[in-house]
Amino acid sequence: MRLRHKAWAADYIKEHTDYVLPNPMALKGKWQDVFDQAGPIHIELGMGKGQFIVEAAKQNPDINYIGIEQQTSVIVSALEKQVDLDLPNLKFLNENGQDLTHFFDQGEVDRIYLTFSDPWPKNRHEKRRLTYKSFLAIYDQVLDESGSLHFKTDNRGLFEYSLVSFSHYGMVLDQVYLDLHQSDFVGNIMTEYEEKFSAKGQPIYRVHAHFPKE
């Protein structure tokens, strides 16, 4: 899908540094101080237009959410939603997910969401997949001992690849859904892509996994 450039996006983000935090490296180990109340920290990597994380923050005011999106012309859609709602438990980062360990201390995050990540189907692009082993090593560092990774996609190839990647890394698969919308899962919040693909009858795949700690 071609990304439509929004020339005004960078200036709009600069006007709202209370929501899109400009210097996350300075907040490493201090994220509980960023929010009005202490609580678990859940992050979504590659949040897109923010439909999932905004709704999650609305439904769970006791959880602090951080949405991370590298594309400036995409994150502004989430920012516009937050400007209207002013949810105290939601912040954004306009950053690259590869830099998570620069932003979060070891064990500082309680849950990571990967929702409808780019599948990068060509073999030569394997290292760009957010479930590739180098990314898993990053998640392993920032997640708390009881933390978990929640991954959701419509792409069967990426899902199967991710299950193998998780297992090879030594992760434990806690829950696996091969057709989420036909399962007994309660509390699913759909993304924009999920609404689009499920309307076409495509199954949605979901897995919850964690890194065993010594």
Side-chain angles (χ1 to χ4, degrees), residues 60-205:
N60 304 283
D62 57 329
I63 297 173
N64 294 322
Y65 290 89
I66 302 168
I68 302 172
E69 173 57 53
Q70 185 177 10
Q71 299 295 335
T72 302
S73 293
V74 177
I75 195 174
V76 290
S77 295
L79 177 56
E80 287 177 319
K81 295 180 179 72
Q82 173 64 331
V83 168
D84 289 338
L85 295 169
D86 190 26
L87 299 169
N89 61 328
L90 177 61
K91 302 294 182 184
F92 301 134
L93 299 181
N94 187 200
E95 303 286 350
N96 191 321
Q98 291 182 319
D99 298 326
L100 284 186
T101 54
H102 298 302
F103 308 146
F104 299 97
D105 212 347
Q106 185 171 352
E108 194 170 15
V109 176
D110 295 276
R111 183 176 297 174
I112 295 175
Y113 296 99
L114 304 177
T115 56
F116 293 83
S117 308
D118 192 326
W120 294 106
K122 296 181 179 180
N123 290 336
R124 69 175 184 269
H125 293 151
E126 179 186 11
K127 293 182 179 181
R128 299 184 183 183
R129 298 170 192 163
L130 294 184
T131 52
Y132 182 67
K133 59 184 179 182
S134 61
F135 280 101
L136 300 184
I138 293 171
Y139 308 151
D140 192 7
Q141 290 186 60
V142 302
L143 277 171
D144 179 73
E145 290 186 359
S146 59
S148 59
L149 177 68
H150 289 200
F151 173 65
K152 185 164 58 168
T153 183
D154 70 300
N155 189 295
R156 180 173 177 175
L158 178 62
F159 188 70
E160 292 175 346
Y161 168 88
S162 300
L163 293 182
V164 173
S165 182
F166 294 167
S167 296
H168 283 176
Y169 193 85
M171 297 180 69
V172 176
L173 305 182
D174 300 311
Q175 293 175 297
V176 178
Y177 300 91
L178 301 180
D179 193 346
L180 178 63
H181 292 183
Q182 300 301 318
S183 73
D184 59 357
F185 183 83
V186 177
N188 182 54
I189 299 174
M190 289 203 289
T191 72
E192 294 91 346
Y193 281 116
E194 186 172 357
E195 290 179 345
K196 175 183 177 181
F197 295 135
S198 61
K200 295 180 179 180
Q202 294 178 224
I204 305 301
Y205 307 99

